[in-house]
Structures are given as C-alpha cells and as structure tokens.
Amino acid sequence: MAKPMVTIVDYDESWPQEFTRLAADLRRALGELALRIDHIGSTSVPGLAAKDLIDIQVTVEQLDGAVADALAAIGYTQRTGITADHRPPRATGPESDWEKRLFAPPPGQRPTNLHVRIAGRANQRYALLFRDYLRAHPMAADAYAELKRRLAQWMPDTATYADVKDPACDLILCAAEAWAATTSWSPGPSDG
C-alpha cells in the first residue's frame, strides 16, 4: 500500500471561511461540551503555505464518550492509534498533558483534522501559542513555509514529514514562549 504523500500549496484565502462553516456545524453538534473551537495549524495563519487540510482544535473538560458520540452523530470518526501529541524535549508535567483524540471528517467533507484536547493542558496551549506566534511574526511563518516545502519535496510521505517537522515546530515554540512571556500572551476568544 502506498504511503500518503504531502503536498504543500500556497495560502488559500477561503480557508478561514471554510473553518467558520465547519466550526458552526461542530458548535451545533457539541454545544456546551466544546469550551472552545479554534482554527489551528498552518491554514490558520494568513499567507502561510500549507497542506490543503483544515486543522481544528476542540477544547473540552475531559476526553470522554459524550464528545466522541456527539462527533459520531455528525459523521466524524475517531482515528485509532493516535491518542497523544508529540512531546517536546524537556517538557515538564505528566504524559497526560499530551493526550488528545483525533477525528477524521465525515465522508464528502473537505480534508480536516479534528483535534480534541483538554482545557489547560500543554498540548492545547501549544497549538494556540504556535498559531498566534506565527500570525504575529511573518518572517518566522515564511521560514516555516519554506521548511515545509523542502520537507514535502525530500520526505513526501506523511509519517516521515511529521517526524522531521516536529522538532522544527518545537524550535518555533521556544521563540513563541519567549514572545508570550514579554507580551503577556493569552489565547483570546475562541474562533468558533
């Protein structure tokens, strides 16, 4: 079986509107189970080249069956075998800080990764801080885009691409943490 390949495309002005539509459907399905619904990942950063795949983070109180059932009711399926995010080197705190659930979109929906994470955990914060830092630092976003283009060219299968990209994201997060400390960063209101 052939491995899925990575293709990086130029930023698409329609990505924020596509997220808004998807988030509205999720909000209706999840109601108060979703504390936040945020557009994350590269498609959430204006001008950033990315895979044509909308990443959404749903923040919840706990990873339980109620959330999975509500998502299943609108066609999302949980991806088995993915129960945690990459843990950066020297990350403190328990392994549970990196727990998540990942869901695939309903049949016929545009490519989407739906990440469900617990409020206040390190991985929930990471996604928002990473996004906000790149939004505030276009030069860093451009360098990240170039890295992704080169990785897709030389390591086009999704597993290898992600394994090599993760440490680069951790480097960006180091700068983002310093920026957050000097700006009193907070994630602001939910996107959806």
Side-chain angles (χ1 to χ4, degrees):
M1 182 172 152
K3 293 181 180 178
M5 303 304 275
V6 175
T7 301
I8 302 297
V9 298
D10 289 338
Y11 181 77
D12 187 328
E13 297 287 338
S14 71
W15 286 338
Q17 292 78 28
E18 291 179 42
F19 162 78
T20 299
R21 183 182 53 77
L22 296 167
D25 292 342
L26 290 166
R27 177 57 63 200
R28 280 190 294 279
L30 293 167
E32 292 181 7
L33 291 172
L35 303 177
R36 298 179 62 99
I37 300 174
D38 291 286
H39 190 183
I40 61 167
S42 296
T43 62
S44 72
V45 179
L48 182 57
K51 295 180 284 184
D52 186 20
L53 183 145
I54 304 292
D55 280 292
I56 300 171
Q57 176 169 271
V58 173
T59 300
V60 297
E61 284 289 334
Q62 57 187 358
L63 298 173
D64 64 11
V67 172
D69 291 346
L71 291 172
I74 60 170
Y76 282 86
T77 54
Q78 189 170 340
R79 294 189 176 172
T80 58
I82 301 176
T83 59
D85 287 306
H86 154 81
R87 183 184 176 107
R90 297 189 184 207
T92 60
E95 287 298 319
S96 61
D97 277 355
W98 303 95
E99 265 188 298
K100 75 170 180 183
R101 300 297 178 265
L102 183 65
F103 291 83
Q109 181 177 294
R110 68 135 24 256
T112 307
N113 278 332
L114 179 61
H115 307 262
V116 179
R117 297 180 175 115
I118 296 176
R121 296 266 175 98
N123 60 348
Q124 185 258 351
R125 182 180 186 278
Y126 186 120
L128 298 173
L129 177 56
F130 188 86
R131 174 201 67 191
D132 290 353
Y133 179 79
L134 290 178
R135 284 177 174 174
H137 296 86
M139 187 181 296
D142 289 348
Y144 181 52
E146 183 59 25
L147 170 72
K148 292 189 311 170
R149 283 188 179 104
R150 290 183 189 192
L151 286 176
Q153 178 183 359
W154 294 103
M155 297 171 205
D157 71 274
T158 56
T160 305
Y161 173 89
D163 283 346
V164 175
K165 186 178 67 119
D166 281 345
C169 292
D170 296 341
L171 288 170
I172 292 169
L173 190 68
C174 290
E177 289 290 1
W179 170 73
T182 63
T183 62
S184 300
W185 172 85
S186 70
S190 173
D191 294 333

